[in-house]
Amino acid sequence: MALFARKDRLPIPPKDAEKKTTVCQYCNVGCGYDVYKWPVGKDGGPKPSENALGIDFRKQQVALQGQAIIENMHTVVMDKDGKQYNVLVLPSKASPINRGNYSIRGGTNAQATYAPSKPTRNRLHYPLLRVGDQFQPISWDEAIDIIARVVKGVKDRWGPDSIAMKVHDHGGSGSGFEDNWAVGKFFFVAVGTRMLSIHNRPAYNSEVWGQRERGAHELNYSYEDARLADTIVLWGANSFETASVFYTEHMLPNLQGATIGEKKKIYRRGEPAEAARMIVVDPRRTASVTVAEDVAPGRVLHLRPNLGTDYVLANAIARAIYEKGWHDEEFIKKRTDLNTFEDYKKKSLMLDVPYEEFMRRVERLTGVSKRDIEKAAEWIAKPKRGGYRRRTLIIYEKGVIWGYKNYDTIASIAQIAALTGNYGKPGTGCGRQGGHQEGYVRPHSRSRAKLVGSIYAGGPPPNIDEYVKWDLRSKVYFVSGTDPYLSTPNAQEYKKRIHERTLALTKFLSEYAAAAGEPAGSEERAKRILEGLGKTDGLFLVVINMYQIETARDAHIVLPAAGWGETPQTSINCNSRLLRIYDKFMDPPGDAKPDWWIWGRIATRMKELYEAEGNYKEAKYCSGMDWKDAAEVFEDGASEFPDNRVSKADEAKLPAECYKGVTHDLLRKLGQKGIQTPVRIDPRTGKPVGTKRRYTYKFGTPDGKWKWYGTDPWDPDPKKFYPPQITKYFEHGNEKRFPFWFTNGRTQIFWQTGYHDRYLPEKVYTIPMPYIEMNYRDAERLGIKSGDIVEVYNMEGNCVAVVYVNDSPPPGTVYGIMYRFHESLNHLTTSYTDPKTTIPWYKASRVGIRKLSGKLEHIAKYTSFLPINDFK
Amino acid sequence: MLKAGLSRRTFIGGSVVLGALLTNFRFAKAFVAPSLPYRRKKIANIRELRTHRPIMFNYPDENSPAILVKIGRPAIGGIGPDKDIVAFSALCTHQGCPIQYSRGRFICKCHYSMFDPAKNGQTYQGHASEWLPQIRLRLDRKGNIYAEAIEGLVWGRVINLLPK
Ligand code: SF4
Ligand code: FES
């Protein structure tokens, strides 16, 4: 009867089971997990004295207090010793972040591990070389030799900028500090190219320069602040689904009033301590809104701005605060730069425009009423009884990061917090929620290519998607730890061009082989590749990943990377910058290797090739990457951070990730407790100390003061407000052909491109194909029902999706899952990027919708279409 | 169509994708539910059931609450003339809070997981990684409904039949 094999018992870990510390490989929250491992057949017993957990398994455990142990948390792995081991990956009750809680994604961490008897056997085992239209396994030595020769050859002949890349940049999953350091050293120092792009994006940039250039890093609060705040603002963040445990373990208790006791301990004497209020700014009625409404009716405010108008709305809330006199005069005077404040007042608050007229324009453009704007202003900033300042925590994420005018939007939101004194105090803060965890450390100080910031800091950075698509000076393209065929904006065109260019090289090599036979070894093969790159429009593509991802189908070489749990790694989470070790507890599949090892080997081979021809200068740039283990890479990375023997106040000057003085061994000792970055070396004790909350004393600018910024002027007429990539949809009959706004986002159910989830039966049933959500009113008009299959299309591309009808998107707007396993609704996003930052605007496009005749019976039968935002 | 007692293999055969996922799941087979000697237990008579009026019972023992409900739409594993009578463990698979049946689905108010009773207890929203364990039901000629076995691990246990 069950749709897939379920279990009704699990093996019990014996007292001597090996225990390791790790952290969930998935989202920004960074829930702690404990791993137990023991040989198959050596189980413990149900009595507390007979098992590693000390639990009495003869009794039913108590809800919430007990340790969660579910079917998905157990697996059997095989190590290189040829033996099978039971593995339990359990949400840690010792972790301050999740306290034993976990989400639908993290609960399957054990299932995502490799096993030859499970679907994860699809993991890459060996390096693969394309020959014609097939992939053939080759040895590491040959694969590395080909890549090193091609990179060197291209660089020598066409210069370092002929080598482009798109690589991982975050924490958790397969990267972390070690891999990010290695890949940085390879491209910044060994290669020295400027043609860099990261993660999902077309360029090498911060998504939040609008806040950083004000003097505050985006990760400045701590999870406790969500428990202590009077008001929590979620701006373009559907935290219930995308920061699940942060929302339910820390925000919900505050909304429920369960943290009032904690508040009383921290607040000033006499300061009112009540259950929190929540403001959600999101065009959709997300689960984050409706769960909060269920918990705290009357204390939730939902603002639904028109797509892309968030910076205007943020400035309007700030203006309302200023108008009512609820801003923090003292904070502004002491902690911020008063010169730039004038600019802010003029351009962002638009004080020259009378208040009523200003609000009329705002209402017209954003669609949000003056009444709601003023209510938001009140909830954020109106002082509490007794004149105490309201403590507001503002958390924003992709809804605005990937909005229109990335720089101005982020700056406007961050400035609300500065205007109201909401930095550096318990219950305050303003920063991003995060998508992934973080683990950024790169050799900026030694980089041979100058990296730029926003347009105000030497930028904007070049758009590498456009570069590899159209500029034939790009010859080699590395894609590592990311799957741009699904995740890059305007993905359909990107795929088409990469395919055409990689195929040009493949054809050249095939024709060569047809005439002269296959090359005799890696040196000759590399020579032919170099010749082909000179004679065709070709592009040499190297993909490094755990799986044969979508992008790999056009690769010339695919290298198998080790994943989570297969090598020790370190990352910080987003809500607290908590640094922990994600320890190794099993071997990688086949001959897969950690990313840092792969980059180190390519660089070291290049070094040998340069030495062989007597070019010791270039050889030197490629040296120092033959690391022995992950701990050594971690410590090598620490050399990039400045001297951190500084006072408490000077934490503001340290990079958010600074971990100098911390080692893998120390992290193993600290376990789930971890240490919050930036880490300082206490000048008195000489010991590393963490930073709970940032910017209590000063900001991260030369004079320690917040730098204000005046945003761009705007026109209340949407036709003049939006960029040409959107307004083209308003003209020439396009408004009729593409009558819907389209926006996109994530689901709680699976992680990112579903590189692991696509092998888990629950996920395959629950999200069987890409989906869109459509409002009841639109669905009725078009005769569309939940479970129907539609084609969504526009001038950028198309995608077929199944429909969920609910009241989440407003009428006239459809929402789609960004990508799902093999397919991508990113086909529909435009190529717009913010001219100030090169950050794309994923979140808005215009589309037409066509219902396909017929249904997919399997989906109709096995997938649930109940409304996911209705909790009543 | 989906009679209790039909073997899992026959049933899964209908789903090509998942059939393939399972064929090599060697170790899982060892503990594939139901793997334990569950006892049959009478829960109710079909005449007592009203659509959307859940009946609470305990299964497989008194510390394991469960819900029997006629959901008014055909369900995977449903029994009765309309194939809409189903039973599930009433402990949320996330952290063990009691779930409620409300407006055609199960909801847990601890962290807001929701499960679809027509779709094998599928978590269609929320934190619960594991679908709600479904209880195999049998209907006899007199209209008596029996619980026969439970498919999936009841929260708070490592073995559904608690060891001594
Ligand atoms: S909330 Fe995020 S970090 Fe926590 S278990 Fe879920 S996916 Fe993992
Ligand atoms: S216990 Fe049910 S959702 Fe957490």
Side-chain angles (χ1 to χ4, degrees):
Chain A
M1 175 167 73
L3 290 185
F4 51 92
R6 296 290 301 264
K7 291 170 230 165
D8 51 10
R9 58 173 148 164
L10 295 174
I12 299 172
K15 270 201 100 66
D16 59 353
E18 203 185 335
K19 186 181 176 189
K20 292 273 171 86
T21 296
T22 193
V23 177
C24 179
Q25 63 186 308
Y26 299 121
C27 88
N28 56 82
V29 181
C31 297
Y33 279 78
D34 300 322
V35 179
Y36 294 88
K37 181 178 176 186
W38 71 101
V40 164
K42 298 260 162 71
D43 296 349
K47 290 187 193 146
S49 60
E50 294 169 347
N51 66 71
L53 296 160
I55 293 175
D56 190 347
F57 287 114
R58 296 167 303 179
K59 295 196 185 114
Q60 170 71 31
Q61 289 200 72
V62 180
L64 300 178
Q65 294 165 29
Q67 170 71 54
I69 309 174
I70 59 167
E71 296 154 67
N72 273 331
M73 291 173 185
H74 169 252
T75 192
V76 173
V77 303
M78 198 185 76
D79 270 352
K80 295 244 156 90
D81 62 8
K83 293 199 187 114
Q84 293 200 317
Y85 295 90
N86 283 298
V87 168
L88 276 176
V89 186
L90 305 180
S92 179
K93 294 178 71 69
S95 165
I97 303 299
N98 53 313
R99 307 167 177 203
N101 198 341
Y102 67 100
S103 79
I104 191 165
R105 299 177 300 278
T108 64
N109 271 316
Q111 296 310 313
T113 56
Y114 168 79
S117 55
K118 289 200 309 183
T120 51
R121 65 176 165 277
N122 256 313
R123 286 279 302 277
L124 291 164
H125 289 60
Y126 314 110
L128 299 174
L129 170 74
R130 173 185 294 282
V131 177
D133 60 358
Q134 318 173 24
F135 287 110
Q136 298 177 348
I138 51 166
S139 68
W140 276 105
D141 283 353
E142 293 239 346
I144 298 282
D145 191 53
I146 297 171
I147 296 169
R149 284 176 188 279
V150 171
V151 170
K152 177 178 173 297
V154 164
K155 186 172 132 85
D156 291 350
R157 184 158 161 203
W158 292 289
D161 284 350
S162 297
I163 294 145
M165 64 84 142
K166 192 191 282 282
V167 300
H168 53 78
D169 189 62
H170 288 80
S173 312
S175 355
F177 287 110
E178 296 76 11
D179 291 345
N180 285 331
W181 174 251
V183 79
K185 215 166 168 184
F186 180 78
F187 286 105
F188 288 17
V189 185
V191 178
T193 172
R194 284 180 306 148
M195 298 305 160
L196 311 160
S197 59
I198 39 174
H199 193 44
N200 56 295
R201 350 207 239 274
Y204 199 107
N205 42 16
S206 158
E207 289 178 319
V208 292
W209 274 326
Q211 179 167 28
R212 285 195 191 170
E213 290 175 9
R214 312 278 74 73
H217 187 271
E218 65 274 18
L219 305 181
N220 49 61
Y221 56 94
S222 179
Y223 75 88
E224 288 104 319
D225 294 320
R227 308 180 69 84
L228 298 173
D230 291 304
T231 300
I232 299 171
V233 181
L234 298 180
W235 201 312
N238 180 11
S239 309
F240 175 66
E241 299 211 54
T242 62
S244 314
V245 169
F246 186 32
Y247 184 94
T248 56
E249 193 63 30
H250 300 297
M251 298 183 201
L252 277 194
N254 189 357
L255 284 183
Q256 283 158 332
T259 61
I260 290 177
E262 293 168 40
K263 291 183 178 185
K264 284 193 175 143
K265 279 193 207 133
I266 302 262
Y267 282 11
R268 301 221 224 143
R269 276 186 64 186
E271 179 179 350
E274 290 166 3
R277 298 172 188 176
M278 181 175 269
I279 303 173
V280 184
V281 188
D282 197 315
R284 288 192 299 145
R285 231 176 112 64
T286 59
S288 300
V289 178
T290 51
V291 166
E293 283 176 351
D294 195 64
V295 170
R299 280 184 283 117
V300 182
L301 174 63
H302 182 200
L303 308 182
R304 311 180 79 173
N306 292 328
L307 298 183
T309 64
D310 295 80
Y311 90 93
V312 176
L313 179 61
N315 285 339
I317 293 173
R319 172 83 188 260
I321 289 168
Y322 193 80
E323 200 73 20
K324 310 270 179 197
W326 294 332
H327 53 292
D328 191 338
E329 200 89 56
E330 196 189 325
F331 185 91
I332 295 167
K333 270 201 202 116
K334 279 204 191 130
R335 301 282 312 270
T336 78
D337 170 47
L338 294 173
N339 293 330
T340 46
F341 191 51
E342 292 308 311
D343 207 37
Y344 174 69
K345 283 192 286 189
K346 188 170 166 54
K347 292 180 184 159
S348 293
L349 303 186
M350 294 167 65
L351 294 185
D352 298 344
V353 181
Y355 185 68
E356 297 302 325
E357 167 60 18
F358 172 83
M359 282 297 172
R360 261 196 300 280
R361 291 189 205 169
V362 171
E363 283 184 319
R364 177 171 173 216
L365 181 71
T366 65
V368 180
S369 70
K370 176 176 167 234
R371 213 187 51 173
D372 278 353
I373 290 170
E374 289 180 341
K375 195 166 171 190
E378 181 186 329
W379 287 19
I380 290 171
K382 186 179 173 186
K384 300 190 273 187
R385 261 180 295 113
Y388 295 92
R389 286 219 65 87
R390 188 160 271 281
R391 297 169 191 260
T392 298
L393 172 65
I394 304 177
I395 294 174
Y396 63 82
E397 195 40 49
K398 298 286 182 346
V400 285
I401 285 173
W402 289 350
Y404 181 37
K405 287 181 172 280
N406 159 271
Y407 189 94
D408 284 34
T409 305
I410 301 310
S412 325
I413 293 171
Q415 295 188 122
I416 295 179
L419 188 70
T420 55
N422 277 305
Y423 282 107
K425 289 178 279 192
T428 73
C430 171
R432 68 180 296 178
Q433 170 202 290
H436 289 70
Q437 296 154 34
E438 302 291 344
Y440 189 87
V441 57
R442 298 257 162 84
H444 284 262
S445 63
R446 269 167 279 174
S447 178
R448 286 210 267 172
K450 190 172 168 288
L451 269 90
V452 295
S454 80
I455 198 166
Y456 305 107
N463 183 324
I464 308 306
D465 280 12
E466 297 301 319
Y467 179 65
V468 293
K469 277 184 333 200
W470 304 113
D471 193 329
L472 301 181
R473 280 174 299 178
S474 56
K475 302 284 182 194
V476 178
Y477 192 27
F478 283 93
V479 173
S480 173
T482 176
D483 195 359
Y485 275 19
L486 298 181
S487 64
T488 219
N490 210 1
Q492 213 155 3
E493 185 189 68
Y494 171 88
K495 277 187 267 203
K496 181 172 166 284
R497 281 298 298 154
I498 301 297
H499 177 68
E500 286 166 358
R501 294 202 57 208
T502 51
L503 189 62
L505 176 63
T506 304
K507 271 191 181 152
F508 174 87
L509 296 173
S510 297
E511 280 159 22
Y512 205 129
E518 284 296 329
S522 45
E523 187 172 353
E524 194 181 341
R525 193 175 292 279
K527 257 194 202 135
R528 290 190 193 177
I529 292 167
L530 287 167
E531 193 181 330
L533 291 173
K535 288 186 175 156
T536 68
D537 293 353
L539 183 70
F540 180 68
L541 177 62
V542 179
V543 166
I544 305 177
N545 211 293
M546 293 189 288
Y547 289 102
Q548 183 88 354
I549 51 161
E550 279 64 30
T551 312
R553 68 175 178 243
D554 285 323
H556 295 101
I557 290 187
V558 184
L559 301 177
W564 178 84
E566 297 164 359
T567 171
Q569 61 153 95
T570 54
S571 298
I572 58 171
N573 74 346
C574 293
N575 55 55
S576 305
R577 290 158 280 101
L578 186 60
L579 172 64
R580 284 155 297 174
I581 190 148
Y582 303 44
D583 225 339
K584 172 177 171 149
F585 60 84
M586 62 181 286
D587 289 326
D591 281 291
K593 299 285 184 192
D595 292 62
W596 59 259
W597 181 93
I598 300 172
W599 297 113
R601 284 296 306 275
I602 304 173
T604 305
R605 184 71 193 120
M606 283 169 62
K607 170 174 162 264
E608 289 163 6
L609 293 170
Y610 277 119
E611 275 167 357
E613 62 180 39
N615 187 344
Y616 296 104
K617 193 171 155 242
E618 277 299 324
K620 203 165 169 227
Y621 285 117
C622 301
S623 68
M625 290 182 69
D626 48 354
W627 305 286
K628 300 290 168 306
D629 57 27
E632 193 186 335
V633 190
F634 184 68
E635 280 162 53
D636 193 13
S639 64
E640 178 66 13
F641 296 117
D643 181 9
N644 59 345
R645 191 178 270 267
V646 296
S647 70
K648 215 170 175 182
D650 277 339
E651 66 78 22
K653 294 197 171 144
L654 296 174
E657 300 85 356
C658 177
Y659 63 75
K660 205 181 194 130
V662 178
T663 59
H664 276 195
D665 283 342
L666 175 62
L667 290 174
R668 285 201 178 93
K669 271 189 218 123
L670 292 172
Q672 292 297 350
K673 213 174 120 235
I675 185 164
Q676 282 174 283
T677 62
V679 171
R680 293 182 300 117
I681 302 300
D682 189 318
R684 281 170 306 140
T685 65
K687 297 227 169 77
V689 282
T691 307
K692 185 201 273 288
R693 187 177 290 111
R694 305 205 67 190
Y695 312 120
T696 299
Y697 308 96
K698 46 173 122 164
F699 286 104
T701 50
D703 65 359
K705 299 233 158 118
W706 176 269
K707 296 283 174 263
W708 298 94
Y709 165 75
T711 45
D712 287 352
W714 46 274
D715 197 299
D717 176 359
K719 292 214 167 94
K720 293 184 189 142
F721 175 77
Y722 290 117
Q725 288 89 339
I726 290 294
T727 51
K728 75 180 180 206
Y729 285 103
F730 297 151
E731 311 157 347
H732 311 304
N734 287 340
E735 61 278 19
K736 292 215 177 72
R737 289 172 56 216
F738 309 108
F740 288 96
W741 280 103
F742 174 76
T743 188
N744 59 25
R746 314 295 167 113
T747 166
Q748 171 145 228
I749 309 284
F750 69 86
W751 173 245
Q752 295 291 37
T753 57
Y755 49 90
H756 284 318
D757 296 293
R758 63 184 71 180
Y759 302 114
L760 309 182
E762 294 93 335
K763 317 282 176 171
V764 177
Y765 278 120
T766 312
I767 314 282
M769 62 182 289
Y771 68 82
I772 60 163
E773 294 179 3
M774 180 181 268
N775 190 279
Y776 293 108
R777 294 229 301 263
D778 293 327
E780 199 177 317
R781 197 162 44 81
L782 300 182
I784 288 174
K785 292 196 181 62
S786 282
D788 282 351
I789 313 290
V790 295
E791 182 186 359
V792 191
Y793 57 96
N794 64 9
M795 289 156 85
E796 327 298 331
N798 74 332
C799 189
V800 172
V802 66
V803 183
Y804 290 69
V805 179
N806 58 37
D807 70 354
S808 176
T813 300
V814 291
Y815 161 85
I817 182 84
M818 201 155 185
Y819 28 67
R820 181 264 176 207
F821 308 178
H822 314 291
E823 308 88 4
S824 177
L825 280 152
N826 264 329
H827 291 178
L828 304 160
T829 47
T830 75
S831 60
Y832 169 92
T833 59
D834 183 0
K836 295 180 184 177
T837 59
T838 326
I839 291 291
W841 183 15
Y842 280 102
K843 294 289 175 179
S845 184
R846 301 279 302 179
V847 297
I849 289 177
R850 174 177 78 84
K851 184 176 160 187
L852 269 61
S853 65
K855 280 198 176 201
L856 292 171
E857 288 303 330
H858 186 268
I859 291 175
K861 195 163 166 187
Y862 296 122
T863 298
S864 178
F865 289 100
L866 297 174
I868 59 164
N869 64 342
D870 178 0
F871 297 91
K872 285 207 197 84
Chain B
M1 208 185 93
L2 303 170
K3 275 193 224 105
L6 202 66
S7 93
R8 169 172 306 94
R9 190 158 279 278
T10 330
F11 178 67
I12 293 265
S15 157
V16 181
V17 183
L18 286 142
L21 283 181
L22 289 178
T23 20
N24 276 316
F25 214 126
R26 261 189 301 134
F27 108 83
K29 272 184 200 150
F31 289 162
V32 164
S35 75
L36 303 166
Y38 293 97
R39 276 184 314 167
R40 178 178 295 182
K41 179 179 178 182
K42 186 184 160 190
I43 311 170
N45 190 282
I46 197 163
R47 283 187 297 273
E48 300 160 30
L49 289 185
R50 299 284 170 275
T51 306
H52 297 319
R53 296 265 186 82
I55 291 179
M56 297 297 297
F57 65 106
N58 295 318
Y59 191 79
D61 56 55
E62 69 279 6
N63 291 315
S64 176
I67 298 182
L68 174 78
V69 63
K70 179 174 166 60
I71 63 170
R73 58 189 168 121
I76 292 166
I79 61 160
D82 304 320
K83 303 281 176 244
D84 65 343
I85 300 166
V86 285
F88 289 88
S89 165
L91 297 182
C92 178
T93 55
H94 178 236
Q95 288 193 279
C97 290
I99 52 156
Q100 300 154 29
Y101 179 82
S102 149
R103 300 193 298 136
R105 62 359 182 192
F106 296 114
I107 180 163
C108 173
K109 293 264 174 164
C110 275
H111 312 101
Y112 291 87
S113 287
M114 298 196 287
F115 308 89
D116 190 337
K119 310 278 165 137
N120 199 206
Q122 183 168 140
T123 316
Y124 65 94
Q125 173 63 295
H127 289 12
S129 265
E130 214 67 70
W131 294 5
L132 217 50
Q134 187 159 3
I135 294 172
R136 279 198 191 178
L137 299 176
R138 177 185 290 276
L139 183 64
D140 74 8
R141 291 227 198 98
K142 293 184 196 136
N144 290 325
I145 297 170
Y146 299 87
E148 287 201 319
I150 186 155
E151 291 184 333
L153 192 64
V154 172
W155 192 89
R157 304 177 171 208
V158 289
I159 179 161
N160 276 355
L161 302 180
L162 291 173
K164 296 249 160 54

